[in-house]
Amino acid sequence: MLLKEYRICMPLTVEEYRIGQLYMISKHSHEQSDRGEGVEVVQNEPFEDPAHGQGQFTEKRVYLNSKLPSWARAVVPKIFYVTEKAWNYYPYTITEYTCSFLPKFSIHIETKYEDNKGSNDNIFDSEAKDVEREVCFVDIAYDEIPERYYKESEDLRYFKSEKTSRGLLQEGWRDTQEPIMCSYKLVTVKFEVWGLQTRVEQFVHKVVRDVLLLGHRQAFAWVDEWIDMTMDEVREFERATQEATNKKIGIFPPVISISETPLPSCARTGPSSAPSTPLSTEAPEFLSVPKDRPRKKSAPETLTLPDPARKESSGFRLPTLYPWHSSTNQNE
């Protein structure tokens, strides 16, 4: 098990980010989906938890079979997917990821949001504080992202919001920006396979960091699209986008409904989680950055697993999970 705490600051308030995250996750999931591959929303319903109160439960499946190497496709079921379950009690959320053919692999993300610049060292409960972990700050403006995800319009060093007048984000912006909030994410990765555990868990954490970086960049880069939305309006956008995405990937599950009556607490087991991080279908790669765009290194390297048939190595790219993609729903 490998535990890390990520802190991602945003030039927003916690209340603003509540809507911006929902909007970003829905739009990103739709953009990254294609026929037979993408994000299917299985459930999206309110529920009641005895400890946390009223919340929202979301379950998604991310289909990624074509992203596997040829030797893996020979032994993996034709429909390979990652399941995301999220329980949301904004500003506190929990998200869990499991894999349909790797029972010993899981990602657990506990998230809390506060209006500060990442200065709270005791935000998680006493039990979590006693566990050794690395604290990683993620800079949405100056950390490097994979080249295929780079868009000039989303480069926050040069972006300025027309509606809020926030931006351009200069070096050291977290010390001077107002307003500012921080997403605190306690991420636990488990891959209990002897001989591969350490390498896989480290690799997945690199993927998680890149996914968090990309999603939070987009949430602010798209601020002028969602800043005037109400919660009801972003929920309607989310519902329409989910239905369109399910049709786009060619999966036709039962009609998605978001009921108004909370489900009994026994209907769901597990903690609560808010919007998750957008899931993309490929793992990030190293990016060779031009000299005029200096960035901090964060992209993971390709992880190589043995090919049992040919005794040769084959590049196995784990799916890019949008760990803030932690189930994209927040209770009103």
Side-chain angles (χ1 to χ4, degrees), residues 309-325:
R310 298 164 54 186
K311 297 183 179 180
E312 297 176 355
S313 63
S314 176
F316 177 30
R317 295 182 179 177
L318 291 177
T320 299
L321 301 181
Y322 249 32
W324 69 27
H325 207 217

Side-chain angles (χ1 to χ4, degrees), residues 25-34 241 244-246 248:
I25 292 169
S26 295
K27 179 176 177 178
H28 180 94
S29 296
H30 185 72
E31 287 183 348
Q32 295 297 315
S33 298
D34 202 351
T241 304
T245 301
N246 285 357
K248 184 178 180 181

Side-chain angles (χ1 to χ4, degrees), residues 46-230:
F47 73 100
E48 188 79 20
D49 182 88
H52 301 291
Q54 190 173 4
Q56 190 84 11
F57 172 78
T58 304
E59 179 178 349
K60 297 180 178 181
R61 290 180 180 178
V62 184
Y63 293 88
L64 300 159
N65 187 264
S66 71
K67 304 304 176 184
L68 297 176
S70 57
W71 64 264
R73 288 199 298 270
V75 296
V76 171
K78 185 175 182 180
I79 300 181
F80 156 56
Y81 61 87
V82 172
T83 297
E84 174 198 276
K85 292 184 179 180
W87 296 262
N88 168 44
Y89 308 95
Y90 198 82
Y92 170 68
T93 72
I94 292 178
T95 306
E96 296 175 350
Y97 295 96
T98 55
C99 183
S100 60
F101 80 104
L102 289 176
K104 295 185 178 181
F105 171 74
S106 65
I107 303 173
H108 181 276
I109 303 173
E110 183 178 358
T111 304
K112 292 187 178 182
Y113 306 94
E114 284 191 347
D115 286 311
N116 57 50
K117 57 182 180 181
S119 53
N120 188 348
D121 294 327
N122 302 306
I123 192 168
F124 294 103
D125 58 36
S126 57
E127 182 177 345
K129 287 190 294 185
D130 294 336
V131 180
E132 183 178 351
R133 66 183 182 274
E134 178 184 355
V135 175
C136 306
F137 282 87
V138 178
D139 190 326
I140 62 173
Y142 288 88
D143 279 1
E144 176 190 336
I145 64 169
E147 186 174 17
R148 65 179 171 277
Y149 294 133
Y150 177 80
K151 294 181 181 179
E152 186 175 354
S153 62
E154 296 173 4
D155 191 328
L156 303 185
R157 298 169 303 155
Y158 310 118
F159 169 79
K160 184 170 183 177
S161 166
E162 295 182 1
K163 293 185 178 180
T164 67
S165 297
R166 298 173 201 171
L168 315 163
L169 298 183
Q170 303 298 320
E171 189 81 54
W173 64 272
R174 287 178 295 181
D175 296 325
T176 58
Q177 174 64 38
E178 288 292 341
I180 191 168
M181 55 84 63
C182 184
S183 297
Y184 294 82
K185 292 184 176 288
L186 194 62
V187 181
T188 304
V189 177
K190 291 183 181 180
F191 187 71
E192 299 172 344
V193 176
W194 186 85
L196 293 173
Q197 180 172 358
T198 300
R199 286 182 294 164
V200 170
E201 289 178 351
Q202 290 176 344
F203 174 78
V204 172
H205 265 289
K206 291 178 181 179
V207 172
V208 166
R209 181 188 174 103
D210 276 337
V211 169
L212 289 172
L213 171 60
L214 176 60
H216 285 78
R217 280 169 61 97
Q218 290 179 327
F220 182 58
W222 298 340
V223 62
D224 289 340
E225 300 176 26
W226 58 260
I227 193 66
D228 295 326
M229 282 186 169
T230 64

Side-chain angles (χ1 to χ4, degrees), residues 250-285:
I251 297 171
F252 303 96
V255 176
I256 300 170
S257 62
I258 302 179
S259 60
E260 298 299 328
T261 305
L263 299 177
S265 58
C266 60
R268 302 284 175 263
T269 58
S272 71
S273 169
S276 78
T277 308
L279 288 112
S280 109
T281 54
E282 298 180 46
E285 299 172 346

Side-chain angles (χ1 to χ4, degrees), residues 301-315:
E301 300 175 353
T302 300
L303 178 66
T304 301
L305 297 181
D307 182 337
R310 298 164 54 186
K311 297 183 179 180
E312 297 176 355
S313 63
S314 176

